[in-house]
Each structure stands twice: as C-alpha cells, then as structure tokens.
Amino acid sequence: MSAATGHKRDYSLTGPERLRAMEKGLASAQWYTSPIPRKRLKELMQRRNGPAIRDTLIWFALLIGTGVLAFYSWGTWWSIPAFFIYGILYASPGDSRWHECGHGTAFKTPWMNEVIYQIASFMVLRPATPWRWSHTRHHTDTFIVGLDPEIAQPRPPVWRIILMEFLHLYGGPKDIKRMILHCFGIVDKEQRTYLPESEFRKTFWESRVYVLIFLSVIGLCLYAGSILPAMFIVLPSFYGVSLMLTFGLVQHLGLHEDVLDHRLNTRTIYMNPVFRFLYWNMNYHIEHHMFPMVPYHALPKLHEELKPDFPKPNRSVWETVKEVMIALIRQGKDPSYTIQRVLPATAQPYKYRPTSEEREVTDTMGRAL
Amino acid sequence: MLLEGWIYVCEADAIDEEDVIRFDSGSRSFAIYRSEDNDYYATDGFCTHEKVHLAEGLVMGDIIECPKHNGRFNYKTGQAKKTPACEHLTTYPVQVTDDGKVYIQID
Ligand code: FES
C-alpha cells in the first residue's frame, strides 16, 4: 500500500500507473545532470578497444580454466565448488558484458560490441533485441513506476520472487517462454510497450537461434546420458546467478521512485577489484546513468569528477546488501519507506520533479511541442 | 557578409575539431558539427528517438552518438546507424565564409 495513494501500486507497463506518470510529466523527462566541463567529459567518453579485448580474453580464459577443472571433478564433491565458480564466472560477467556491449561503449569497434552482446545475451538468457529496448526504456524512465520495465521489486517486495531469482527461476522461465513465443512470431503485450515493430523480425530470428541451441544441448545430454553438457551451457544461467542478482538488487532498491535525479534513485558502491572486473565497473552506477556514453573503463575517473555533487557512495557490497534488506523489510510494512541520501555541501540540490516549464514544452513522449 | 537565406551560427573556430555545438533559432534547435577534416555539417538538434540534444553527445569520425541511449547517426548524411535511433536526421547546408563565419540554411 502506498502512503501517497492509499493503494497498492501497479508496476506493470500496461496498467494505470503508466498514464499517471505521463500526466505528471515523468515520462521521457529531462533528468538532472551534474556539472562537468565539456572538454573533460569528451575525454572520458573516448572509446578504446584495448581494455575490453584484454578483459574479454581474461574472462574466456577463466571460463575455460574453471570449466576444465569442473569437467575433471565431475562425479566428485569437488565438482560443487568447481561448478559454483564456473557458474559465477559465466553469469556475472555475462550480465555486465551484455550491459556494456548493449550500450555500444565497451569496444570502440561496433561489431565487437555486437558479437559480445549476442553471446552475453544468450548466456544470461535474455532475448537480445527486446532486452536492448527494455534497457533503453530503463534509462529513459529509471524507476518511474508503470514505465520502467527493469524495476527489480515492487513495494511491498515479493520475497518469493527474490528467493526464486537466486536460481533465476522467475525471470529465466519467463524469458524462455517469450523466446518460444517469438519462434512463432508472437510478442507479448508488455514487450510491445517498448519494442518497436521494426525490430520484431530480428527478435524472432534471434529467439529461433537460442531455441535451436537449447534443443542441441538437450540432444547432447540425451546422447551422453548425463546433464554434464548442460552444466556448461544453459544451466549456469540458473545455478550461477547469485552474485549477478546481488549486484542487480543493490543498483536501485530502497531508493526513491518517480524522481528525475539519479542521485536519488541509484547507488554508487565501492567494490573490490575482483568484483569490479566481474561487474565492469557498473558499481559506479549513478555515474553510468547520468552519462551513459562514458565507457566502463573511464567510470572511476568520472566518479572522481562528480564526487563533490554526489551523495557518499556505499562502502562495500556487504554494507549495501544490509541496507537494501533492511529497506525491503521496512517496505513490507510501510511501502512508502525510502532511504534518504544526504548530499555534500558542494552539491547542487536534488531534482525531484519536472519544472512547470519542462512539462509545458514536451508531450508525453518527451518530444518538443 | 550576410548571405541571403542563410543564418549566422558562430565563428568557425568556436567549434572544436571533431566536435559539435548546439544552435537554437526561434523554436528550433540544430546541431552543428566540425569534422576531423575541418568540414562543417548541420543536422536537427534533437535525436529522433527521444528529446535529447545531440550536441551533448560524442563525435567519432562521421558519427554522432546520442548522449541518452547511445544511438548513432552519420551526421554527414543524417542516416541512423544504431538503435534505438531508427529514424534519420534531417541535414542542412552549411557555408563557411572567407572571414571564418559559419552559416546554415534551414528552410
Ligand atoms: S534519445 Fe537518442 S538514442 Fe535515445
């Protein structure tokens, strides 16, 4: 139940909240951006192939290395930690590579972004094209109820779904069902709110390729009389997602909904170098949302530039998990509960809503009238 | 010298090499580019995907990348090159006079 309305809010993309957000001028709105000299921003936006090629080679080498260990440990107790590490290395970088390559900022060369995007999309079981558009909408309407398809949890939270997601048992089957529908040329109602028709054909063919791979893996398992082949491909997208989910849950949960300032609805978290490698610096999440053209390797430098305008970052993943869990428990009783972030004295004030001027000059799609 | 039918934008060196600036005229907004070969180009100022000023984006060779969702256009032809930018941009003729002033023709 929301304190503001007295009703439980509808987080679907096809419900009444969508219209409400548009009427309030929250759709495709003008967001706050921190001041940064154009020259410096231009330097930080520069694309490079080197860091992403290096990181991709390390990632694949780690996957092959742990994969070999896992293969030889199969049938022993050692296979549990071996596959656990393999699964983490499969899904967590799968998610962050999907993300960065989807933005087209990881590599300088466009086809390299596209190749890794397609591979990583399969690894995290997301139909590549619809998810590209879903993420676009997430950036346009970050945490605006009724418009953002990527709000991780409603208020009050649904604990059953959070628990299921530690093995990807909620989102995974949902996306697989969508892939099967895509194979037959069907796009569901929710996806139609962000996926343009011009992208349908591509969506259908991508899903057909995914389903063909699933069938091949099932065939291989039947032939081998073992689930071992699936332990290396497809199943890690379920058993390996715990860290990826943790990273995902701490991005926005517990913070403000329906505001136009990423400092209010997004977290920047300091992480150790291993997590930063796996997550490709997406722990600098406010920075990324505010300036999505800055590649992952330049985000730490962007953070240094913007620090005086940002609330204090969380100091670790563990500290953030505790903060989010406490917030979710409190939202279970009081859905209006929101974590308040304090700005330093050097910062510009928060922007909560569109100014009357901004509301007047845009239509519901945010286009100038 | 004021060229007939052309609108003055800025001094030529007010735009950095391989960069873009925003130029507003009346209720309209344009993006004016200087390429790495020191040629000048003009397009609509707003991305065709959503209302965002392209002049806040990044010029890379012939490409302007939108600051909001990283959609890309060829600013010389206006062609959309990367989703979510799908519709092309309108381009406008640009002239640089001998005394180093940039003009565009918008109608
Ligand atoms: S607003 Fe330009 S790509 Fe979305």
Side-chain angles (χ1 to χ4, degrees), chain A residues 128-150:
Chain A
T129 296
W131 270 90
R132 197 193 291 270
W133 286 85
S134 152
H135 196 64
T136 295
R137 182 107 335 262
H138 171 60
H139 269 266
T140 301
D141 299 313
T142 313
F143 257 56
I144 306 287
V145 179
L147 294 173
D148 182 354
E150 295 180 14

Side-chain angles (χ1 to χ4, degrees), chain A residues 136, chain B residues 47-52 54 66-73 83-85:
Chain A
T136 295
Chain B
C47 178
T48 55
H49 175 231
E50 282 175 9
K51 190 208 162 200
V52 170
L54 286 171
C66 173
K68 185 78 183 173
H69 309 110
N70 313 84
R72 289 181 186 173
F73 301 90
T83 58

Side-chain angles (χ1 to χ4, degrees), chain A residues 242-314:
Chain A
S242 52
L243 187 64
M244 161 188 152
L245 180 77
T246 307
F247 289 161
L249 290 179
V250 296
Q251 287 174 348
H252 305 281
L253 284 184
L255 301 173
H256 283 257
E257 289 171 341
D258 295 352
V259 289
L260 299 181
D261 190 330
H262 292 110
R263 296 173 303 171
L264 278 160
N265 67 9
T266 308
R267 277 186 190 83
T268 282
I269 305 163
Y270 288 143
M271 285 186 185
N272 64 54
V274 174
F275 282 4
R276 286 222 327 260
F277 170 79
L278 296 177
Y279 202 25
W280 256 10
N281 285 336
M282 268 308 114
N283 52 306
Y284 297 106
H285 212 62
I286 310 180
E287 291 81 350
H288 165 68
H289 266 274
M290 209 178 261
F291 295 107
M293 326 79 98
V294 174
Y296 78 96
H297 51 78
L299 284 177
K301 289 185 203 134
L302 180 64
H303 171 69
E304 289 307 314
E305 299 288 334
L306 303 183
K307 230 163 45 177
D309 201 39
F310 279 14
K312 244 197 180 148
N314 287 53

